[in-house]
Amino acid sequence: MDDPRRRVPRTDVVLADPRLAEAAGRLGRAAVKAAVTAAQQRARAGELAPEAVADAAVAALPATAGGLRPVLNATGVVLHTNLGRAALSEAARDAIQAAAGHTDVELDLVTGRRARRGRTALRALRDAVPEAGDVHVVNNGAAALVLAATALAAGREIIVSRGEMVEIGDGFRLPELLESTGARLREVGTTNRTTAADYRAAIDPGVSGFILKVHPSNFVVRGFTGEATVEELAPLGLPVVADIGSGLLRPDPLLPAEPTAAASLRAGASLVTASGDKLLGGPQAGLVLGDAGLVERLRRHPLARALRVDKLTLAALQATLTGPETPTWRALRMDPDELRFRTEKARDRLAEAGVEVTLIESEAVVGGGGAPEVRLPSWSLALPRPYAEGLRTAPQPVVGRVERGRLLLDLRCVPPAADDQVIAAVLAAAARLPLRRRL
Ligand SMILES: *Cc1c(COP(=O)(O)O)cnc(C)c1O
């Protein structure tokens, strides 16, 4: 009897394959060994010819040692939290690559002395919002709020409207986050209406830390509603911290309802907090902009060290602020006619290959818990739902969205140069689906 288990090549023999030896230098020996072990197991189970073990191991190697798989976002959700929110610009990717080794992040190369960490990125942020007296950058938007609450209101009260006690997503509730710092929340007003007088009545000198205005990014309240503006709150004598969330620095006609850092500061906010990886289109980061004295208090607080950003983030943030338009910006402004043209071309090529596909008008959204009212007219390929899994598990994963029982692929957030990869993934998925599930 010819037992295939006997003929499965030994690990050291497989690892001697030059392709795997090269990959071990690039990805690490553990990753390559795991791929070899998996291929050997398949051969032992009779799923693979023993001679094919090395080929199968090569095919299964990850593209990088990072573990995170690059994905094509065909969901039509520009800032998709599960897909890492903003896709970085080429400029930001290059900046990360360049900063990955040793850099002058805290060294002035001219004087040879220690320098403020990330000073050029901080300057770029200040230049982008001249209304800010000073700026600081932390790990994410939530960290910016925690730092503000800890440095300015620990053991004291944060005055906040009952209409702004929001949950951001994945169980992250702003009130709980703020209370975890040792600050107490002083809730004022009602869910639908809060006035400046409500805030004024709650102010207790010696107990009040600051007034917090939170932008309810991911929902809207309609009907009998009212809120106090930053302009009305600024004269009340307490610092006003405006959490705008989205990271829009300056007004954008496409997003008229989104608050901006510049406008909030002009209206009298003492501090603005925002995320770097939402509408700004940059890396995950928390931006703090505003009054120089308050920013300095945050920067000098011991907790600031625990929330400090990495050199890679600083590099990507600066490139985002000073570089060309971001993929987020481009996706939000994608011309519907161009999108239709690309989608039609893809539909035609798939239909020629016998795929059951239609072109439909659809709607894309901003996502990332922002601008819930904004609908972006879009076009999509509609495929039978069973394609969803095949596309997610393709060598180049493509993630679409399921709507009314169909899988929709919206090319808005797919770089145009990657349209061919989407088409190839659909064809590969079609080839793996049983005929009846392709319809
Ligand atoms: C997104 C958001 C946050 C949290 O920011 P992260 O960068 O996700 O930590 C806080 N507040 C508002 C209003 C937001 O929209």
Side-chain angles (χ1 to χ4, degrees):
M1 270 272 295
D2 184 14
D3 183 351
R5 275 165 294 189
R6 289 258 170 76
R7 297 189 290 115
V8 171
R10 286 199 340 246
T11 305
D12 53 346
V13 174
V14 184
L15 284 175
D17 184 294
R19 294 168 298 173
L20 293 171
E22 178 274 328
R26 199 162 38 84
L27 303 171
R29 208 177 142 78
V32 176
K33 241 180 123 172
V36 170
T37 306
Q40 287 170 319
Q41 270 162 6
R42 287 177 58 203
R44 275 188 211 104
E47 297 168 23
L48 200 68
E51 315 69 76
V53 167
D55 285 349
V58 169
L61 285 175
T64 69
L68 301 178
R69 303 271 306 273
V71 163
L72 289 173
N73 174 10
T75 59
V77 181
V78 178
L79 299 167
H80 198 301
T81 301
N82 301 156
L83 302 180
R85 284 198 193 149
L88 295 183
S89 66
E90 287 303 324
R93 293 169 196 229
D94 290 348
I96 286 177
Q97 177 76 30
H102 292 139
T103 71
D104 63 346
V105 65
E106 275 184 42
L107 181 72
D108 183 327
L109 292 173
V110 176
T111 63
R113 295 215 186 89
R114 180 170 198 163
R116 173 169 286 184
R117 183 179 177 85
R119 61 211 169 280
T120 56
L122 295 172
R123 195 174 314 130
L125 182 55
R126 258 191 88 167
D127 288 348
V129 188
E131 290 86 348
D134 201 356
V135 299
H136 184 55
V137 179
V138 290
N139 190 46
N140 59 13
L145 272 173
V146 162
L147 185 56
T150 309
L152 308 179
R156 297 204 282 166
E157 288 183 352
I158 299 172
I159 305 178
V160 61
S161 162
R162 292 196 169 89
E164 297 175 9
M165 312 268 287
V166 303
E167 173 168 323
I168 310 284
D170 195 26
F172 160 37
R173 295 181 159 174
L174 215 100
E176 293 168 5
L177 181 83
L178 292 170
E179 283 175 332
S180 76
T181 66
R184 290 186 306 278
L185 292 190
R186 180 71 187 268
E187 302 171 23
V188 297
T190 61
T191 311
N192 55 329
R193 284 173 74 85
T194 305
T195 65
D198 293 325
Y199 289 89
R200 191 185 302 116
I203 293 178
D204 180 351
V207 175
S208 307
F210 61 84
I211 291 174
L212 177 65
K213 274 292 288 175
V214 183
H215 177 55
S217 320
N218 50 9
F219 69 98
V220 286
V221 188
R222 277 210 201 79
F224 186 56
T225 64
E227 64 174 308
T229 61
V230 170
E231 238 151 356
E232 294 172 87
L233 298 177
L236 297 186
L238 268 190
V240 176
V241 176
D243 175 26
I244 62 167
S246 67
L248 206 55
L249 300 181
R250 316 210 63 87
D252 183 336
L254 191 70
L255 307 161
E258 281 299 307
T260 68
S264 303
L265 291 171
R266 270 203 304 274
S270 311
L271 287 181
V272 167
T273 61
S275 299
D277 56 346
K278 293 182 180 170
L279 291 172
L280 184 62
Q284 178 188 301
L287 315 179
V288 181
L289 308 98
D291 178 81
L294 293 180
V295 171
E296 186 64 9
R297 274 174 67 186
L298 265 58
R299 192 195 331 272
R300 294 216 167 277
H301 192 279
L303 183 63
R305 180 62 176 76
L307 307 175
R308 168 174 112 163
V309 274
D310 181 45
K311 61 188 175 185
L312 303 182
T313 304
L314 290 164
L317 179 63
Q318 180 169 349
T320 302
L321 288 164
T322 60
E325 290 151 2
T326 64
T328 302
W329 194 95
R330 283 203 299 268
L332 289 173
R333 277 170 189 70
M334 176 75 60
D335 174 17
D337 289 336
E338 186 192 330
L339 194 55
R340 177 177 190 166
F341 177 73
R342 286 168 58 198
T343 314
E344 270 173 356
K345 250 178 49 185
R347 188 260 330 258
D348 292 348
R349 283 183 48 197
L350 292 170
E352 271 163 37
V355 174
E356 195 65 34
V357 59
T358 51
L359 177 81
I360 65 155
E361 272 191 273
S362 58
E363 276 185 340
V365 294
V366 175
E373 296 279 85
V374 175
R375 301 275 155 202
L376 306 162
S378 227
W379 295 89
S380 292
L381 299 168
L383 290 159
R385 186 182 179 146
Y387 275 89
E389 188 191 345
L391 286 171
R392 284 199 314 270
T393 55
Q396 165 59 69
V398 176
V399 180
R401 78 173 187 279
V402 173
E403 206 174 274
R404 277 178 271 144
R406 294 173 305 183
L407 175 70
L408 302 191
L409 300 181
D410 182 334
L411 299 178
R412 173 182 293 272
C413 308
V414 174
D419 286 359
D420 285 347
Q421 293 180 55
V422 173
I423 294 169
V426 174
L427 292 175
R432 286 192 290 154
L433 276 181
L435 197 53
R436 67 189 154 73
R437 306 200 68 206
R438 280 185 230 164
L439 300 170

